[in-house]
Amino acid sequence: MSRFRLGRLAATVAITALAAGVVASAPLARPTAKSAGFTLTIGDVEDYTGALGPIGAPADKAVKLAVAQLNAAAKKAGLPDRFKVTTADTQSDPQQAISAARQVVDSGATCLTGPASTPEAIAILNAVTKVRRMVMMPTATSIALRQTNDNHTIFRVVPPDSLQARALVIAVKQYLRGAKGKTVALGYLNLPYGTGIRNAFSAAWKALGGKVVTVGYNQDQPSYDSEAQKLVAAHPAAFVIADYPDTFGKVAAALLRTGGFNAKKLFVSDALAVDPIPSTIPAAALLGAHATEAGAPQKTAVAKAFNKLYRSTPGPKTGALIQYSFDSGILCGLAAVAAHSTAPDKIRSEMTKISGPRGKPLTYLQLSRAMRALAAGKHVHYIGVSGPIDFDSRGDTKSGLYDLLQWVGGHLVLKKQIQVTKR
Amino acid sequence: MSTPNASPVDASSEERILATDRLRSGDAALRLVASLPTWVRLFVAALTLALLFAGLQGLHDVAQTTVNGLVTGTYFALGAVGLALVFGVLRLINFAHGDFLTFAAYIAILFNVTLNLPIVLAAVLAVTATAALAIGLEFVLWRPMRTRGAGAFQLLLIAIGLAFVIRNGIQLFAGSLPRSLHVNNTNALNLVGHVRIGRTQLWVVLIGLVALGLVGVLLSKTRIGKEMRALSDNMQLAEVSGIDTRRVILITWIVAGALAGLAGVLSAAAIGVVTPNLGWSLLLSLFAASVLGGLQSAYGALAGGIVLGLAEEWSTMFVDPSWKYAVGFALLIVMLLVRPNGLFGKVSLR
Amino acid sequence: MSVLAFNLTALAHADFWLGAGIIAGVYSIFTLGLQMNVGFTGIFNFGQAGFMAIGAYAMAILILRFHWSPWAALPVATLCAMLAGLIVGIPALRLSPDYLAMATIAGAQIIQIVAQNGGTFTGGNNGLLGFDAEWQNIQLWMLGKLGKVGLGTQYALPLFLVTWATFLVLLGGLTVVQRTPWGRVLRAIREEEDAVAALGKNVFAYKLQSLALAAALGAVAGYLLSLNISLVYPQAFSADFTFIGFAGLVLGGVGSYAGVALGSLLLWFVLEGVRFVELPLAADKVAALQLLLVGLILVLVMVLRPQGILGKREEMVIRG
C-alpha cells in the first residue's frame, strides 16, 4: 500500500476513534434498585509511585484496615451491609490521578480516599468527582485546595498546612520561651507539602518578631551536605523540617555529619511523625525531637490500639499520614450506613451526620455501636485515630487541637496539646 | 548509513584555523596564559573564584562547600568518564548510563541487605554485575545494531528506551520504597578547623580517585588504552592498522560499566537512601559533566565532574539550594553555546 | 500459579477510555511538533515539553495575573512559545544532533525548575488554577447539547471532542503545509542539508521556523493538557513527557503526520490498558509496567521496524 493510502488509513482510524468514542459513551443501563444491604466500594487513589511513592502503600494498608474494621462492625451490629476497597496508583501525577480515579469509579467506587497531594486532588475533583457529587477525602494539606469550588465534595481529615504551621510556631515559641529575635532554621522539601508549611511558618514566625532561615531542597539530589550546612550555619535556636521520610533520611544523615545539629532542637510536621523510626532515617536525628500532629482528647488509647493493629498486620510497619487514611476509610463507610445507600450524592449529604459536635463521641473501637446509631437515624460524633472529626462548612477539620509529640526511646510520646484558634 | 558527528559544532577546519590565528595575534600575557596546560588554567580559575567567594561569604562556607563539591564531583566524574569512554569509542550517548548506577546500587542492596554479605564484597559483586550488564547489552543490542548500520537517531532512542526498561525493571522487582545499605553514614570527621567530611564520604573520594587514577593509567600506559584512544580518534584508521576493534569496544564497555557500577555503589553508601530514580536523576548532571570536559576526553570528564560538583555546591552559598539542578543545567547550556568542545576539547591551543 | 488476566468488562468503561483518548489526543498534537522537527527537518528537539510549559504557563498567567480573556490569551501564549522556540533555536541549532538533544533536554528542565521555584507568579509547586472558567462554561454548554442525544453524563466527552477536532484541524494544516515549497525544503534539509545550502537556501532560517512551529504545536498540546487537569503544574512538563512522545512518534512512523495519531492512540491504549491487567502483584507495579512498556516500545520499534507502522524504510536516513 502506498504511503498516501496508509496516511489516509491512519486519518480514518483517528476519525473512527473519535466516532467510536462518541458511540461507546452511550450510557449503559445502570441498576437503580436499592437492595436490602449494600456493598460499598471505596476507591483508594494513592501515590504508589513517583515523587510521593513512599506514601501510597502504607496509606492503602490503612484504608484496607479500615474496611476490615467496617465489615467486622457491620456483622457485629447485625447489618447486612458490606464494604470493599479498590485501589489505583496516581503515580504522584495529576494526569494519572484522573486515570486512577476513573479506574476506581468505573469499578464501582462511590467514595474516594486519597490522594496525597493537592494538584492531584484538584485534577480528580474537576475531572471526576465534582460532577458526580462524589466525596473525596484527600490527605493533601494545602489551603490552595480551598481556592476552588468543590461543590461540597471534598472532606479533609488532615489539617491544612496553614493550621499545622501555626501549631509548630506555638510549639517552638514555647520551647524557646519567646519568638522575638530568635532564629529558626527551616528546611523543606521543594514540593507542595514542604513549600506550604514553609510559607505559613515563615510568615507566622516573622510576624512574632523572629528570624527564619529557609533552605529548600529537591528529591533525588546526590548530596544534601551543603543544605545541612546552611541550616546549621545559621546557628539557630531551633530547627524545623517539613519533609517526607525518604528524603529526610538523607537530610538527617547530612545534618548529623555537620556536627552542629542537635535533635532536641528539631521540630517536624506530621508527615515525619512516624513510629517506629524507619531504617532509612538515622535514629540519632529524631531521638529527642518533637513532632506535631492533629490531636484528640482520647487520642492516646485509640492511637495505641491503632498502632498495634497496624504493626501486627502484614505490610509496611509504619508510614506518613496513615492515621488520616484510616479515618477517611471509616468515614466513607459510616456515611454510607447513615445514608442506607452507596449513591455518591447521598453519602455526601450524610458526612455532617458523622461529624461533630452533635452526637455521641465514638471511636473505631466502638464501630458497631456507631453503625447501629447511624442506621437508626441518629447523629454520631466519630472520634478518629487522627482526632475528633469536626467538619466546618467547607469540609475542612474545625478542630484546632494538635498533639505535640516527642521521640523518647525510639517511640513517639505525647508531651502536650496545643490549641490553634482558627481565624 | 550515516556516522554520527563527533564534533559538537559542524565547524569547518577553516574556522578552526581562523580561531588559532586570532589567539596567536593576541598580546603576550594572553599567550602566556594560553600556553599553560588546561589543567593549570582550570585550577587557577577555580582558586580565584574560591578566594572571591571567601571574601563574600567567609572562608568556612567556601571550604565546606568545596569539600561537598569534591564528594559529589567524584560520583559525577566516575559516571562521566564512563560516558565519555563510550562516546569516544562508539559515538553513542548512552542514556542508559545513569541506570547502570541504579542497577549497581540495587545489586549491592541485594547482596548486602537481603543476603547479608559484608559491604565490600557486595560492592565488588555489584560492580562486576554492572560490567556484565554492559557487556551483555553490547552482545545483544549494540553490536547487532552497529552491524546493521543503525543511524544515530535509532541508537539514541534505543538508549533512551533501555534507560526506561532498566529503571522500571528495577522498580518492578524491588518496589519503589526507599532502601538503604548497611552502612553507617552519619560518622564524620573534622578536616581542617570546622570543615567536616563524612567518614563514608572520605572513603568514596579516596576509592573514586584511585579508580580514576587506574583508568588514567590504563588509558595512557597500557596497550589496550592506546587502542581505545586510537579508536576514539578515528575508528576506520584504527581498524585498518590492525586493531581488534571488537575487543577494544568490549573492554570499553567493561570499564564504563565498572565505573558506573562503582559510582552507583559509592553514592548509595554515602547518601544513605536509594530509590529507583537514583541514576536517572543524575543522568543530566553526568551529561553536563562530560560536555564540560569535552565529550570525547576521559580526562575532561574527570575535570568536568569535579567542576560541576563544585559549581553546584558553591551556588548554594548564593541562591537557595532548590535551584541547584538549574545551575548544573545552565552550565551545560552555557558550555554548549560558548565552548562546545568542552574544556579539554580539540579546539584549544595545546 | 496466577495467570495474567485482563478485566474484559473494563472495555465497557467509556469514561475511562475517553479519558485515555484525551491523553492520546494531547500527545498526538504534541508529537505533531516532534514529527515536524525530527521527521521532516531532522532536528532532534528533545525539549518539546519545555515549549508546552511556556505556552501553558503564559496562558494561565495572562488570564489570572493580567486578567485577559482566554480568547486573547491563547494566541498570545502561542506566540510566546514560538518566541521561546526562536530563542532556543538561534544558539542551539548550530549544534550537532546529539548535542542538540542534550541542550534541549537541559533547557526544558530549566524551564520546569523556574516554574517550580517561581513563587506566587508561577504558582510554585501548587501551580496555577482558575484559568479555565471560560472552558467550564463551554463544557457545560456542550454537555447540555450532548444531553439531547442522551450523552449528557459523559463528562469526558466534551474535551475529547475538542482535543481530537483540534488535532484533525492541525493535521490537515500540516499536510497542506508539507506540500508547499516551504515544506519540501524542510524535507530536503532532513535528507541532504548541504545540497539545500548549496542551492542558496538559508537552511538555518528554515530550521528556526520549523522549531518555532513545533513550539506552537507544543503550546496547543499544553493548553489541552492543562484543561484536562484544570491546573498548570510544573511536574506535568517533565522530560519523561517528551520521551513518551517519542515512543508514540516512532511507533506511528517517522515521516508520517497521520501516523502520529496511530502511534499515540496505540501507545495510550496499551499504557492505560495496563491498569486493568489483573496483576498478581500490588497496585504499585502498574506505573513501573507502563513505563517499562514505553521503553520496550522504543527499543523494539527501533530494532525491528525503525520506520514504525506508517513510515517508509528509506525515510529513516536522518543526518546524525
Side-chain angles (χ1 to χ4, degrees), chain C residues 58-257:
Chain C
M59 168 200 58
I61 290 174
L62 285 171
I63 294 177
L64 291 172
R65 303 261 174 266
F66 299 104
H67 307 291
W68 283 28
S69 141
W71 303 111
L74 284 173
V76 173
T78 315
L79 285 172
C80 285
M82 293 176 80
L83 187 66
L86 290 175
I87 294 176
V88 166
I90 290 174
L93 281 172
R94 61 192 176 93
L95 295 170
S96 66
D98 284 337
Y99 288 81
L100 177 64
M102 280 195 287
T104 46
I105 295 177
Q109 288 291 99
I110 292 182
I111 292 173
Q112 188 186 18
I113 293 175
V114 168
Q116 192 183 6
N117 295 345
T120 36
F121 188 64
T122 61
N125 274 311
N126 279 321
L128 295 168
L129 57 126
F131 55 89
D132 59 341
E134 185 71 24
W135 164 247
Q136 296 295 340
N137 291 336
I138 296 176
Q139 196 172 33
L140 279 170
W141 176 83
M142 283 180 81
L143 281 171
K145 290 274 182 276
L146 287 168
K148 301 217 172 82
V149 287
L151 293 169
T153 51
Q154 286 304 338
Y155 306 115
L157 198 48
L159 190 58
F160 177 87
L161 291 171
V162 168
T163 307
W164 280 101
T166 312
F167 171 77
L168 286 171
V169 165
L170 290 170
L171 175 67
L174 282 174
T175 318
V176 165
V177 160
Q178 204 48 51
R179 304 224 180 109
T180 63
W182 185 86
R184 285 199 287 271
V185 173
L186 236 50
R187 186 192 230 108
I189 290 177
R190 194 200 78 182
E191 284 167 13
E192 201 45 72
E193 187 173 318
D194 295 332
V196 175
L199 285 172
K201 301 276 182 202
N202 185 348
V203 169
F204 193 71
Y206 278 92
K207 282 186 172 179
L208 262 183
Q209 288 159 27
S210 170
L211 193 60
L213 253 183
L217 289 164
V220 173
Y223 308 146
L224 293 165
L225 179 72
S226 306
L227 287 179
N228 191 26
I229 58 181
S230 302
L231 197 59
V232 176
Y233 169 73
Q235 263 79 329
F237 310 107
S238 62
D240 274 3
F241 198 101
T242 309
F243 294 139
I244 298 177
F246 267 95
L249 174 74
V250 299
L251 189 59
V254 169
S256 161
Y257 281 126

Side-chain angles (χ1 to χ4, degrees), chain C residues 1-7 276-281 289:
Chain C
M1 192 182 97
S2 332
V3 173
L4 227 62
F6 186 85
N7 183 355
F276 289 110
V277 175
E278 246 116 80
L279 288 166
L281 316 156
L289 199 59

Side-chain angles (χ1 to χ4, degrees), chain B residues 270-284:
Chain B
I271 192 113
V273 180
V274 169
T275 59
N277 277 325
L278 175 101
W280 186 239
S281 51
L282 272 178
L283 187 65
L284 264 183

Side-chain angles (χ1 to χ4, degrees), chain B residues 11-26 30-31 34 338-341 346-350:
Chain B
S12 65
S13 45
E14 210 181 283
E15 286 180 42
R16 250 176 265 145
I17 295 173
L18 283 171
T20 31
D21 270 336
R22 253 179 266 133
L23 214 50
R24 279 204 200 99
S25 61
L30 197 63
R31 255 181 287 154
V338 164
R339 209 192 156 111
N341 271 320
K346 298 287 162 82
V347 186
S348 65
L349 191 66
R350 255 314 274 291

Side-chain angles (χ1 to χ4, degrees), chain A residues 144-308:
Chain A
L145 194 55
R146 290 303 174 198
Q147 277 170 20
T148 183
N149 171 20
D150 66 326
N151 218 0
H152 301 287
T153 53
I154 295 186
F155 290 87
R156 278 200 294 189
V157 179
V158 64
D161 44 35
S162 53
L163 272 189
Q164 176 157 191
R166 284 183 30 227
L168 275 169
V169 165
I170 293 174
V172 177
K173 183 174 162 200
Q174 285 175 355
Y175 170 76
L176 295 178
R177 289 189 244 278
K180 209 171 171 80
K182 306 270 169 68
T183 307
V184 167
L186 191 150
Y188 64 98
L189 181 66
N190 194 9
L191 282 181
Y193 180 73
T195 44
I197 294 195
R198 177 205 68 173
N199 292 338
F201 185 93
S202 296
W205 190 255
K206 282 193 206 150
L208 288 174
K211 287 198 279 248
V212 185
V213 171
T214 65
V215 178
Y217 46 82
N218 296 301
Q219 288 181 316
D220 295 323
Q221 283 179 196
S223 153
Y224 292 90
D225 291 292
S226 300
E227 288 79 352
Q229 186 57 37
K230 250 186 146 169
L231 285 169
V232 167
H235 297 293
F239 294 92
V240 172
I241 305 258
D243 197 352
Y244 294 117
D246 56 321
T247 319
F248 181 66
K250 304 182 229 185
V251 175
L255 280 168
L256 288 171
R257 286 195 291 266
T258 60
F261 175 75
N262 185 350
K264 292 203 180 67
K265 291 195 205 171
L266 175 64
F267 289 77
V268 296
S269 50
D270 55 4
L272 279 174
V274 285
D275 183 8
I277 301 175
S279 57
T280 46
I281 299 181
L286 285 181
L287 290 175
H290 291 85
T292 52
E293 213 176 49
Q298 287 114 312
K299 174 70 172 283
T300 334
V302 180
K304 271 210 188 108
F306 173 69
N307 279 335
K308 194 156 161 230

